[in-house]
Amino acid sequence: MTVHIGVVGAGDVLDGSPEADAAEAVGRGLAEAGAVVVCGGLGGVMAAACRGAAAAGGTTVGLLPGSARTDANPWVSVALPTGLGEARNALVVRAVDVLVAVGGGYGTLSEIGLALRTGTPVVGVGTWELARGGQPDTGIERVATAGDAVRRALELAGGDA
Amino acid sequence: MTVHIGVVGAGDVLDGSPEADAAEAVGRGLAEAGAVVVCGGLGGVMAAACRGAAAAGGTTVGLLPGSARTDANPWVSVALPTGLGEARNALVVRAVDVLVAVGGGYGTLSEIGLALRTGTPVVGVGTWELARGGQPDTGIERVATAGDAVRRALELAGGDA
Amino acid sequence: MTVHIGVVGAGDVLDGSPEADAAEAVGRGLAEAGAVVVCGGLGGVMAAACRGAAAAGGTTVGLLPGSARTDANPWVSVALPTGLGEARNALVVRAVDVLVAVGGGYGTLSEIGLALRTGTPVVGVGTWELARGGQPDTGIERVATAGDAVRRALELAGGDA
Amino acid sequence: MTVHIGVVGAGDVLDGSPEADAAEAVGRGLAEAGAVVVCGGLGGVMAAACRGAAAAGGTTVGLLPGSARTDANPWVSVALPTGLGEARNALVVRAVDVLVAVGGGYGTLSEIGLALRTGTPVVGVGTWELARGGQPDTGIERVATAGDAVRRALELAGGDA
């Protein structure tokens, strides 16, 4: 069974930013290992992850919030409009075996919450830091580099990707 | 932009039945034309359509009602668990440019209704006959054969698939 | 447990039309029996059903397709924006014990299909006539009047509403 | 237009715990002001908030993850099964004008993220502490007591509840 890994992060980071570079490297590494990359299909971290995966010949799935397939970034190979708005975040989480969060805004935060709630492992690179009552939460497995994120995500997916 | 066409029908038709044969031929014809085949990912008509598309080297997307990727039939190339139950029917409809209904039960009926409601063309092979006040409804474009369904679906999709 | 009954139909029927009159009578009758009326929250049949229920002091729930509570008709007592577009039809069906279809367009057809697929009884007044292979489908329990629809819906709900 | 306010938090806190007491006081205060209380309909914080609101004669809406109305806690006045699983969290957020988070687990975190993403104000009592790059995020408006949460939520809702 092919491993499916989500890459999530802000839609408005610029090309060449550290977040975009990390996302692109994550996408490339996952695709080189044979994993399908699933994301929200739009720009920023999503586009960078798809660009990296596409460069490695990988399959990229974009679960779009709107109703137009043309909203997808050009590196999405399977672009699926959902018309659900931000509720599509739940679909990204359900569709994957492991979630990799690269930086990220509030939408990413919702995906992290849904993943941890439903038992999908989350690997984070420079993403949200969570605490309750002053105690750090250890739900997100934090790594330092894109390469570490790829390795750890593949291990957690436990597949033969 | 790649054309995406949905193939919907009952999940419990048997291999070798006329419905399964038609669905397999539809899937094959669509894939030969380069269209991505989108379906609910399970058995019966869905499996037959995917089998046909896979035989032609096509891409098949399965939007699964449950939360397990392993629910997908073996010819689904991109299997996406949604966890939405029958509400995932709306996603199949939104993800496609044209819907082809082959036979079908009540779930198929819901997909036909959603597609016609949102302006997605529906091509039907041996599917539901609809009327209001004794007047047949002409929303479904009815064709006689799988080959006709493929031709008409591609025309309606208006793409370069 | 309070009985919840859905009333579905076209959003564009005019006040004073036979469909609107029937929907209003259905809403009133259900509310008089203590049932909660659930609908899509907009105009036409939905507004008529809510107006009837409100006149009898009943509770009316509107599951709106958009994101603005102000889209609800004025007789909705609990207006819930969903932002799901037509996918909210699945929520109307899931939220109810029995579905009453009054006339109706393609959206109504999708709700009938989803209800029959998931085992929710459907009572129809002047609604879709369904057939397969020339054989009428008997899934919808057809009744002649609004009064019959109310009686039969309450029986099927089997509650103490 | 009646104000609708969400109260979210963990489903497994015990009656008599500080979180349950706070949620009950929030629900009561909101209902006394005429606001409709919307929640996920289950136990813990959800049940406590509904219990408080019901004691003040308020309306409580429970958007349930499963398909059975009987899953609702006994203080839900409008219990709506969605069958969407955790994806129903998006519906809780969309249905409300302001979200109050009382403590909370990962599901609550997802609701906070969705609310902040879509511009719905979030008032927090003893809930998640968020940071990025060591910098605290100020999206959640943190208050010290249930009474403060009620006052601030009503102000943010800006209605005449």
Side-chain angles (χ1 to χ4, degrees), chain D residues 102-136:
Chain D
V102 181
Y106 292 129
T108 309
L109 182 66
S110 76
E111 292 164 317
I112 291 170
L114 284 165
L116 295 177
R117 178 73 177 90
T118 53
T120 301
V122 179
V123 176
V125 188
T127 191
W128 289 96
E129 296 140 22
L130 310 174
R132 283 285 310 279
Q135 296 297 314

Side-chain angles (χ1 to χ4, degrees), chain A residues 49-134:
Chain A
C50 290
R51 191 167 55 230
T59 297
T60 55
V61 177
L63 291 159
L64 299 160
S67 295
R69 199 182 317 282
T70 48
D71 291 343
N73 71 62
W75 302 279
V76 171
S77 52
V78 179
L80 302 173
T82 70
L84 300 180
E86 297 301 316
R88 71 81 153 81
N89 291 5
L91 295 182
V92 172
V93 170
R94 276 175 173 158
V96 302
D97 305 305
V98 177
L99 194 71
V100 178
V102 180
Y106 292 130
T108 309
L109 182 66
S110 76
E111 292 163 317
I112 291 170
L114 285 165
L116 295 176
R117 178 74 179 88
T118 53
T120 300
V122 178
V123 176
V125 187
T127 191
W128 289 97
E129 296 139 22
L130 311 173
R132 283 284 311 277

Side-chain angles (χ1 to χ4, degrees), chain C residues 6-54:
Chain C
V7 184
V8 295
D12 56 2
V13 304
L14 298 179
D15 281 359
S17 66
E19 286 187 18
D21 287 351
E24 185 164 352
V26 168
R28 189 183 306 111
L30 292 173
E32 285 170 354
V36 171
V37 171
V38 178
C39 71
L42 300 178
V45 158
M46 298 171 263
C50 289
R51 191 168 55 229

Side-chain angles (χ1 to χ4, degrees), chain B residues 84 94 104 106 129 131-132, chain C residues 84 94 104 106 129 131-132 137:
Chain B
L84 301 180
R94 276 174 174 158
Y106 292 130
E129 296 140 21
R132 284 282 312 278
Chain C
L84 301 181
R94 276 173 172 158
Y106 293 129
E129 296 140 21
R132 283 284 311 278
D137 182 87

